Every structure is written in structure tokens, then in C-alpha cells.
Amino acid sequence: MPYEPPTHTVERSLRATTGAKVIAGVDEVGRGAWAGPVTVCAAVTGLRRPPLGLTDSKLLTVKRRTELAVELEKWVTAYALGHAAPEEIDELGMTAALRLAAVRALEGLPVRPDAVILDGKHDYLGAPWRVRTVIKGDRSCVAVAAASVIAKVHRDKMMAELGADHADFGFAANAGYPSPVHKAALEERGPTPYHRLSWAYLDALPRWQHLKKARVWLEGNVPQIEGQLGFDF
């Protein structure tokens, strides 16, 4: 089933209603994984026509997504990536980890955006950022779709590299997400240094339950994270 290509509609609306000139699309990947970081890309595209076939990264084949990421990195005005490490996810919870990764990405851009288009319905960024949330923004907004593709390709490559010494876990194929190969390796070998140890998958692994970490911070009740240092992937 063909999908409508993304547009600049939301960006034009923000320009008209807020006066914003530099607008970043933001999307994340890795939220539901058992291992690896959560990765956020912030992309600034302006109002130019995007490369042909741009859409949500999940709708693209691996080959096309990889090719498109190369095109996008040359086409966008600017992009930057931010990561929150498994240890930070365990310590802070996912909401704060997402914000940490997103702030790192936004602060990595050469110019601070006047506004942010954030994929989804939940604003995990908050003040002082001016945020417009868009459900399925990775399909409908050009900048968010570009961020989606770049984030996915970079994180997949990162997970393949991290998994080089842990071949039984299949990180090159599953990117740290649940899969039969991943679960079998966990049962046999236990978590790698890249696993999230506060996650419920450990409840089904009696041999390794002693490694599970209790979450200190409840979602929505998190410490200030500005200025914290992250894992250097």
C-alpha cells in the first residue's frame, strides 16, 4: 500500500504562527530494545523538496533505508545525533533518557532551533524548547522523516559494531530488540555490558535475575539531567 509522501505543512505552520526560522525534526530509535542506547536524531531541512521515497524508516527496506540515509546526510541543512546509554536508561527511566538524548542531539546542531517538531503525542522535551508534537510525524513531516531514517541507520550500524564480540546475540540483525536468537543467547550467556538491566525481560530469566537493577527514579519523577555526561558510543 503506497503512503502519501511527507510534507512541510507543519513547518510552514510553525513559521507562520510563531515566527520560527530554524525548525528541527526530531525522532528516536531504540526505545523498545533490550540492549543498546536510545538514539535521537535532530534534522533541519528547510523547505526544499526531499529525496524521492522519503518516509518513516520502518516502512523502508534495509537496503533502501541505508541508501536514503546517505542521500539525506548530504541533503539536510544540518543534523546531529544524541544517545542515552543503557546505564542512563536504567538510572533515569526511559522518559528522562529520551530527553537526555534529544537535548544532546539538539545541542549538537550548529544553530539552536527556534522550534522542534517531535514525533508522537508525548512531549518528552519540554521547556525551554518550543515543541510541536505530531502523531506519525515520521510519515507526514519531512524533517521528522529525515531524522527517523538517519537515526535508524546510525543506531543499527552502532549495534552491529557493539555486537561484534557477542555474535550469539545477533545484534547485527535485531539491533538489540527482542528476537528468538537474542532471547536464547540471554538464557545461555546472560546480559552483555550493553543490556538494560532494569527491564522486565530479566524476570523470565531465573538464572540471571540477580543482575536486575531496581529503578531509582519513577517515570515522570526524574532528576535534572542538564549537563550530565553520557556514554561515549
Side-chain angles (χ1 to χ4, degrees):
M1 175 181 176
Y3 293 94
E4 290 294 322
T7 70
H8 295 295
T9 300
V10 177
E11 187 168 341
R12 292 182 190 279
S13 172
L14 283 168
R15 287 172 177 249
T17 59
T18 70
K21 295 181 179 179
V22 178
I23 300 172
V26 169
D27 199 17
E28 56 77 22
V29 63
R31 187 192 304 233
W34 287 350
V38 63
T39 296
V40 173
C41 180
V44 178
T45 64
L47 300 177
R48 293 170 297 139
R49 184 187 299 273
L52 187 65
L54 177 62
T55 187
D56 172 10
S57 65
K58 297 184 292 295
L59 302 179
L60 299 168
T61 65
V62 173
K63 181 176 184 293
R64 180 56 186 143
R65 188 166 59 225
T66 303
E67 293 170 347
L68 189 55
V70 173
E71 294 180 58
L72 287 169
E73 288 174 18
K74 297 175 182 177
W75 173 80
V76 297
T77 303
Y79 79 92
L81 294 156
H83 311 282
E87 299 92 333
E88 293 172 319
I89 296 169
D90 288 335
E91 179 183 353
L92 300 172
M94 182 52 73
T95 299
L98 277 170
R99 181 170 189 265
L100 185 60
V103 169
R104 287 170 175 162
L106 289 165
E107 291 183 344
L109 293 171
V111 178
R112 183 181 177 92
D114 302 312
V116 174
I117 305 172
L118 189 62
D119 182 50
K121 64 180 180 180
H122 175 57
D123 177 9
Y124 56 77
L125 259 174
W129 303 93
R130 178 186 289 168
V131 176
R132 172 79 61 86
T133 58
V134 178
I135 296 172
K136 297 190 182 300
D138 48 8
R139 295 188 189 184
S140 62
C141 300
V142 168
V144 179
S148 166
V149 172
I150 294 171
K152 174 66 174 166
V153 169
H154 274 267
R155 187 181 181 278
D156 282 359
K157 181 180 178 183
M158 181 189 304
M159 290 305 299
E161 292 171 351
L162 293 178
D165 294 330
H166 304 278
D168 291 350
F169 288 83
F171 287 166
N174 61 47
Y177 283 85
S179 74
V181 168
H182 192 169
K183 184 175 181 181
L186 274 168
E187 290 174 344
E188 177 64 25
R189 299 184 179 276
T192 71
Y194 310 115
H195 276 87
R196 303 168 187 181
L197 298 180
S198 62
W199 282 50
Y201 70 84
L202 280 171
D203 295 338
L205 301 172
R207 184 178 172 188
W208 308 105
Q209 279 186 8
H210 64 285
L211 297 176
K212 188 171 182 180
K213 292 183 178 179
R215 288 185 178 173
V216 177
W217 301 101
L218 298 176
E219 297 288 348
N221 182 25
V222 297
Q224 294 298 310
I225 59 176
E226 286 79 6
Q228 281 189 277
L229 296 177
F231 192 91
D232 185 16
F233 284 99

